[in-house]
Structures are given as structure tokens and as C-alpha cells.
Amino acid sequence: MTDWRTNLPAVKGRYQENALLSEQTWFRVGGPAELLFRPQTAEDLVLFLRDKPGNVPVTLLGAGSNILVRDNGISGVVVRLGRGFAGIKIEGNKVIIGAAALDRTVALTLADAGLSGLEFLVGIPGTLGGAVKMNAGCYGQEIKDVLVWAEVMDHQGRVTRLSQTDLGFTYRHSTLEADQIVIAACFELDCGAPAEIHQRLTQLLATREQSQPVKGRTGGSTFKNPLPQKAWELIDQAGCRGLQIGDAQVSEKHCNFLLNLGNAMAKDLEELGEQVRRRVQAICGVELEWEVIRLGR
Ligand SMILES: Cc1cc2nc3c(=O)[nH]c(=O)nc-3n(C[C@H](O)[C@H](O)[C@H](O)COP(=O)(O)OP(=O)(O)OC[C@H]3O[C@@H](n4cnc5c(N)ncnc54)[C@H](O)[C@@H]3O)c2cc1C
């Protein structure tokens, strides 16, 4: 059978066969993508999606800060949006942000411009597209509070604009389907003094550093909080703080974070997470739901 990768549309962006996804994710684990595609522009992405071979599966990757790629990698094409998708355009108190813009860059740029409402992004190590998909948030604020619309491309290259309501946001969740790629989103913000906004950013970063292993190889919060309870408290109660399988560890500092201490495999991290879920179920009677998205084979 012919390899589908021999029949790819001519694009301006870059194709990479058997690209190691451990280099693209915060956990630093995971097998290869059959093909990694980095489109240069929206037109490039449309061209690729329209003319790609047959039914080859397409998976979106942001900064890889909320995913666990399994050890045998991902079949089909993994798309990672590049610099051409990272623009930040300010019009009065509205801002249109490209999906590949890094959350931290967004927060700093808006602080410089005296716009307030997305400060919480400063400590989230993802992209804006990932933040919309996940309704990212912290310290009582989330994406849905300030989003006006998002532009979304389907796997045939068709673009639609979805309102805040269309996106069906709930806690760490949107109703975006796997075949909907966020290209850009618009937010309505409040005006404020840049110096005060920058001060809030500094405080947010300091608070986070105190309580989370921010420099570790991690995927952030592993499980959603089963509101009104907190996942970390249940994990602690179930005696899982510091629990380890190989180089996969439940963080001592924040026990809703899993860590790759160096040479963990994805299967170690996933098995450790499942062990935590079983213990919390047995001891606290609560079923934890994964927040980290597990992808691949
Ligand atoms: C140290 C650390 C701290 C964290 N703290 C927080 C926190 O405080 N609050 C919080 O909410 N999260 C937190 N996270 C988790 C993570 O950073 C967020 O969920 C982030 O929004 C994910 O963005 P990403 O670009 O890395 O997405 P990825 O992890 O690459 O992908 C996540 C999901 O989004 C999809 N996706 C990515 N880009 C797009 C796109 N353009 N269009 C459609 N789908 C897309 C992917 O297919 C996948 O399903 C933390 C993670 C780490 C490692």
C-alpha cells in the first residue's frame, strides 16, 4: 500500500515525518506523529485541509501543556500553528488574538496596552487556541468571562465565527469538536493603568510559584476539581502525595500535578493517574475526571 505521506499538497509551511512529540509537550513524553505540519498562514492551512489525502486524521497541538501523548504516538497529521497565527490586534477595548499566541505574551502585551481581564493567562503555559478549547482559567477567572467570539476552521478548511454562547463553555471545557480548529478569538476587556495591571501579573506569578511545580515536566492540573471539592485535597486524603511509578510522580508540592522526574514513559504517568483515581474512589467515594487530555496509541 502506498504511504499517504507521498501524496501531500504543496504548502508554504513545513512537513516533518515521524516527528517526536516528546519534544513538543510539557511532560516530555510520547511517541512520534506520523506527520507534523506547521502551516505558515491561514491560507496554507486551508489548502492543506482541502487537499490532504483521503480521510487522514488531523490532531491539533497547541503548546502541549495540557496533553499526555501516549508512547506509540499519534496516527495521521498533527498540526501545530506557527508564528503566522500569533498576532495580537488591539482596537479600543477589544483585542483579536491569534490562536498560536502564547498566553504569557498575551497577558504582558495587554498589560502594556492598559487592558485588563486576561491577566490570569500570565501563568498558563499554553497558547490562546488551547486556552479557548479548554476554557482555561485560574484564581476565579476563565476565558469565557471575556470572550466575544472565536473563529474556527473545520477539517475542510471552512471558517465560521462562533459566539461565546455557541462555544458552550463550562468548567475547563468547550463544546468545540475535535475537527474544529480555533484560528483566532476576540475579547472585550476593561481599561486600567498599565503599572497596576503589571503588578497583578507579578502577584499572580508569585502565588503560582509558591504552590505549583511550575518548572517541572508536567501537564498542570491532572484532574478537574469535582466542585465544590478540590481534586488536590481528595488526592492528599487518599494518601497519594509523592506516589511514584518509575519516574512518574504525584508532585509533593501540589498533588494534583503529575511529574516526569526524568525518564518516565507516558504509560507510567497514565497508570499513576489511574492509580490515583482508584484510590480516591475507594477512600473518598469520588470519581475524578481527567483534565489532562490523553492522545494517541
Ligand atoms: C505548569 C502548568 C500550569 C498550568 N496551569 C493552568 C491553569 O492555571 N489553568 C488552566 O486552565 N490550565 C493550566 N494548565 C494547563 C494548560 O496550560 C492549559 O489547559 C492550556 O490552555 C492548554 O493550552 P495548549 O496550547 O498547551 O494546548 P495543548 O495542551 O497543546 O492542547 C490542549 C487541547 O486543546 C486542543 N487545541 C490546542 N490548540 C487548539 C486550537 N488552536 N484549536 C482547537 N483545539 C486546540 C488540543 O487538541 C487539545 O485537545 C497548566 C499547565 C502546566 C504545565
Side-chain angles (χ1 to χ4, degrees):
M1 209 171 67
T2 325
D3 186 336
W4 57 269
R5 293 173 296 188
T6 57
N7 192 21
L8 297 169
V11 288
K12 291 200 192 102
R14 198 151 68 89
Y15 292 128
Q16 193 183 343
E17 290 189 11
N18 305 318
L20 264 190
L21 293 173
S22 54
E23 292 168 5
Q24 310 281 336
T25 66
W26 271 69
F27 270 125
R28 291 284 178 265
V29 298
E34 262 187 285
L35 186 79
L36 180 65
F37 171 46
R38 297 166 195 265
Q40 246 183 40
T41 58
E43 295 70 41
D44 208 22
L45 181 58
V46 170
L47 183 88
F48 172 79
L49 292 168
R50 219 186 38 206
D51 298 343
K52 67 184 182 305
N55 288 329
V56 59
V58 176
T59 305
L60 240 289
L61 188 67
S65 65
N66 203 43
I67 59 169
L68 179 60
V69 175
R70 296 194 174 102
D71 298 310
N72 289 326
I74 298 182
S75 307
V77 185
V78 171
V79 173
R80 188 157 189 182
L81 306 180
R83 240 178 278 156
F85 295 82
I88 302 178
K89 197 165 130 205
I90 296 171
E91 292 168 354
N93 69 335
K94 288 213 172 124
V95 57
I96 298 169
I97 308 172
L102 292 175
D103 294 338
R104 186 187 174 89
T105 308
V106 171
L108 292 170
T109 306
L110 296 177
D112 286 346
L115 289 173
S116 167
L118 282 170
E119 288 92 322
F120 66 92
L121 286 180
V122 74
I124 302 184
T127 60
L128 197 275
V132 172
K133 166 82 177 185
M134 301 301 303
N135 187 24
C138 53
Y139 308 122
Q141 285 188 297
E142 48 191 5
I143 282 289
K144 78 165 175 45
D145 301 336
V146 278
L147 183 138
V148 182
W149 52 254
E151 246 163 30
V152 170
M153 194 182 286
D154 69 15
H155 284 191
Q156 279 70 49
R158 292 175 298 227
V159 177
T160 41
R161 190 174 277 193
L162 301 178
S163 70
Q164 199 257 26
T165 319
D166 296 333
L167 288 159
F169 287 123
T170 50
Y171 168 61
R172 298 298 167 267
H173 177 77
S174 68
T175 50
L176 283 168
E177 303 282 348
D179 71 346
Q180 290 181 302
I181 303 170
V182 177
I183 300 300
C186 174
F187 297 87
E188 191 165 346
L189 303 168
D190 293 325
C191 294
E196 282 170 24
I197 301 172
H198 273 290
Q199 204 177 350
R200 279 201 289 282
L201 300 187
T202 308
Q203 279 162 1
L204 283 168
L205 287 172
T207 307
R208 188 177 280 271
E209 188 125 349
Q210 261 171 20
S211 60
Q212 296 179 3
V214 288
K215 297 198 174 82
R217 298 170 175 195
T218 178
S221 294
T222 312
F223 302 107
K224 295 183 183 183
N225 285 323
L227 298 169
Q229 287 165 297
K230 294 210 164 102
W232 77 263
E233 286 176 354
L234 299 169
I235 295 167
D236 214 10
Q237 254 178 52
C240 297
R241 191 181 284 270
L243 195 68
Q244 215 166 316
I245 295 181
D247 258 0
Q249 189 198 43
V250 175
S251 164
E252 296 272 3
K253 191 168 186 181
H254 189 311
C255 56
N256 194 23
F257 278 50
L258 296 184
L259 291 173
N260 169 10
L261 297 179
N263 294 309
M265 305 285 285
K267 72 174 172 36
D268 302 328
L269 288 156
E270 190 165 10
E271 176 46 31
L272 183 60
E274 285 301 323
Q275 209 178 107
V276 169
R277 288 182 74 233
R278 285 194 294 273
R279 286 203 192 186
V280 168
Q281 173 77 68
I283 292 166
C284 313
V286 176
E287 190 175 346
L288 290 178
E289 187 189 340
W290 282 87
E291 179 172 325
V292 164
I293 293 171
R294 291 154 299 150
L295 292 175
R297 302 165 294 191

